[in-house]
Structures are given as C-alpha cells and as structure tokens.
Amino acid sequence: MAETVNRPPFDPELEASLALMAADLPPTLTPEMIPLMRQSMIGQDARLDDLFAEAGVERRDRTIPGHEGDEIQVSVLSRQGRTGVGPGVFHTHGGGMIMGDRFVGVDLLLGWIKDFDAVVVTVEYRLAPEFPDPYPVRDCYAGLVWTAEHAEELGIDPDRILIAGASAGGGLAAGTALLARDEGGPALAGQVLICPMLDDRDQTVSTVQVDGVGVWDRGSNVTGWSALLGDRRGTADVSVYAAPARATDLVGLPPAFIDCGSVEVFRDEDVAYATALWAAGVQAELHVWAGGFHGFEMMAAHTALAKAARTARDSWVARALGA
C-alpha cells in the first residue's frame, strides 16, 4: 500500500495556473530532457527587445573573463539615456544549473532599473553538466568582480551593489556572496535569494512532499544537482560555494532577503538558511508564501499571491538601496 504524503494545498488561483501549464511543464525533469528544455528557450531575442523597449531599458553586451580567464558574456541593463551614479544589481539567472540564459527572470529586475535607477549586470555563466562545479559559481564570482572593478564606468555606486538570483540563480547568488566574503571580494549591500536552490542532500520534509507535483519537484532537483556535482552529490566532498546550505559559518555575510512557496521543494532549506543567517548575527527577511509552488511569481504573475510577493521584495530592495 502506497504511503500517503501530506503536504500543504496549492493556493487555488495558482492551482488553476498550474493545471494550464501541465502539458508544457511536467513536474519532473530527467537528464534526457535537458536538450529539449534548452531548445525550448531559444529564440527569445525578439521578445526581449520588445520587453526592454517597453520598459525604456537599453542593453549593452560585454565579453569578460570568467573562471580561469575563459571568456563569458554579460549584459548591462540600464535606463535609456541614464547618466550619473546609482545602485547596481548583479544578477545570476535560474534554470536548475542545467538550462536558461542570463535573461531568464530579468523581467523581475526591470522595475528596479526604472524605480531605483539601478544598473543591472546579468551574467552568462556556463551550465552543467558540460561545465560542472565549480564553473557556474566561479563564473558568477568573476562577473561580480568585473562589475565592481568597472563600477565607475558603469555608473554604479560601489557601496550599493546587490546580488540577486532566483532558483539555481539564488543558490549561485548565495555561493557568490560566500566567495566574496572569503576571498576579500566586492562588498555587497545585500543578497536577494528568490526561492534559492541551496542544498544537494535531498533530505528535507519539503523534498519528500513535493515529488511528482508542482514545478521543479524532487526528481528535477536530483537531476540538477547530479549534473552539477556528479558522484559528489550528497557526499562530504561538496563545496559550500556550490551548496551554501552546507556552510557552517555565515558570519559577516550581507543582509539577505529570502522568499519561497510553502509547496516547493526548496522550502525547508530556504527557511533553514534564513535561520542560520540569524544565528550568525546576519540580518535576514524571510517570506514563505502559503500555497506557492516553485517560481509561482514568474509563471503566474497575474495572481494575487505573485503580486504580494513582488511587492514585499521590491520594498526590501528599496530599503536596502536607500531608495
């Protein structure tokens, strides 16, 4: 007899959106599905051009040194005709470490460009499994260092740089913040960790609850971490920069904003990370949105819960930037 797993219900409005997405976005992604998922994300340039034009944002692409000096791309996004100096946001995109590009989730940041006059630098880190750990987090760190070193040229106040990312990008943002602390890198004014992917060990209650349902379930998570870490996944041989949930010393990290849904695989590791930050004396603001699935704010932006989540995050960012 199959064991019954109790889990919180989805928010009714989100559940309706989930049903509409079911045909195109199965809960579980397997390694065999990675090429197809990547293919589905190609051809977004026209949509991006329209998105940026509508928001009054201009884009500049740059080639910079990544991990081990290899060339990677970043895009610099700012208000059209912008002059002077303002805050900066370094963005690390989501995609489970295995897919996506530097423009995934960037629409969440456009309001910060408009409302806070921020300059966003978004990095094209290399993806697993072709480029396993430490390539993704080291590419992100190289991009952050480049951003700080070119702050004056970019019109960024070096004392007001945030790092922000969602899902795998949230985990990479947390790992990059740890690297910046440990290697004497750029000082960060804050870290925005949106439903971050932090723990490779697959041992929480939420990972058991979200298996075969929702978005990016337990099986998908195992696929992502296995691509990044290979046989090291779940062993003692995993860096805190790859899986920040393993860090035992969080003292000295910048203030953090963390949010997630109550019906997503990352819920418990995100709550634990906020708790560990508080224990280390680091300021953190945590939101667990009742009934939210992974990425609900991006995939069902029209819903009341998504609007509330975005409002709460934007409020924190405004305070962090002194805007």
Side-chain angles (χ1 to χ4, degrees):
M1 183 175 179
E3 182 180 354
T4 299
V5 176
N6 294 315
R7 60 175 166 268
F10 291 112
D11 171 86
E13 200 178 13
L14 290 181
E15 190 166 30
S17 297
L18 199 56
L20 292 174
M21 293 187 292
D24 298 320
L25 189 60
T28 306
L29 303 185
T30 64
E32 295 74 22
M33 297 165 72
I34 294 174
L36 180 61
M37 296 304 295
R38 289 179 178 175
Q39 190 68 27
S40 69
M41 294 182 169
I42 294 175
Q44 300 293 319
D45 281 356
R47 185 191 71 83
L48 282 171
D49 290 343
D50 292 342
L51 180 70
F52 293 153
E54 185 177 342
V57 167
E58 63 180 23
R59 162 187 165 185
R60 292 167 287 161
D61 295 338
R62 298 284 296 269
T63 301
I64 69 167
H67 180 45
E68 297 184 327
D70 300 337
E71 291 186 346
I72 60 173
Q73 300 290 312
V74 296
S75 287
V76 181
L77 308 175
S78 60
R79 182 172 49 79
Q80 290 175 0
R82 181 184 187 274
T83 58
V85 176
V89 177
F90 183 74
H91 175 242
T92 53
H93 73 81
M97 307 286 180
I98 54 178
M99 58 188 176
D101 62 24
R102 63 192 183 279
F103 299 112
V104 169
V106 78
D107 53 320
L108 297 178
L109 313 178
L110 297 180
W112 303 351
I113 295 172
K114 175 185 175 184
D115 297 336
F116 310 141
D117 202 25
V119 173
V120 170
V121 179
T122 184
V123 60
E124 193 76 34
Y125 62 83
R126 288 168 283 183
L127 300 174
E130 294 89 341
F131 294 94
D133 177 62
Y135 279 91
V137 73
R138 282 288 174 182
D139 278 348
C140 291
Y141 182 62
L144 175 64
V145 170
W146 179 87
T147 299
E149 289 178 346
H150 292 75
E152 182 176 355
E153 168 195 339
L154 298 173
I156 292 176
D157 178 351
D159 294 326
R160 290 199 293 161
I161 298 177
L162 294 179
I163 189 167
S167 192
L172 289 166
T176 302
L178 284 164
L179 276 171
R181 179 198 65 177
D182 294 347
E183 299 191 1
L188 290 167
Q191 47 182 332
V192 182
L193 312 179
I194 305 167
C195 50
M197 177 181 177
L198 300 168
D199 196 339
D200 64 294
R201 291 168 289 190
D202 187 38
Q203 293 178 348
T204 63
V205 171
S206 57
T207 197
V208 174
Q209 289 178 321
V210 185
D211 190 353
V213 296
V215 174
W216 192 261
D217 74 340
R218 182 182 197 173
S220 303
N221 207 34
V222 170
T223 295
W225 281 114
S226 298
L228 183 71
L229 300 172
D231 292 341
R232 290 184 292 139
R233 183 182 67 80
T235 72
D237 188 23
V238 175
S239 160
V240 301
Y241 308 123
R246 290 172 172 264
T248 57
D249 176 13
L250 301 181
V251 172
L253 287 172
F257 177 95
I258 302 173
D259 63 6
C260 62
S262 68
V263 203
E264 73 163 285
V265 72
F266 297 142
R267 182 196 65 213
D268 293 348
E269 63 201 62
D270 293 351
V271 171
Y273 199 67
T275 302
L277 286 167
W278 291 321
V282 177
Q283 192 60 274
E285 181 168 318
L286 170 68
H287 295 261
V288 180
W289 296 99
F293 57 76
H294 182 63
F296 69 91
E297 182 206 339
M298 292 164 273
M299 299 178 194
H302 63 286
T303 61
L305 205 68
K307 292 174 182 175
R310 184 172 295 205
T311 297
R313 187 182 312 129
D314 290 349
S315 174
W316 186 91
V317 170
R319 284 177 274 127
L321 295 177

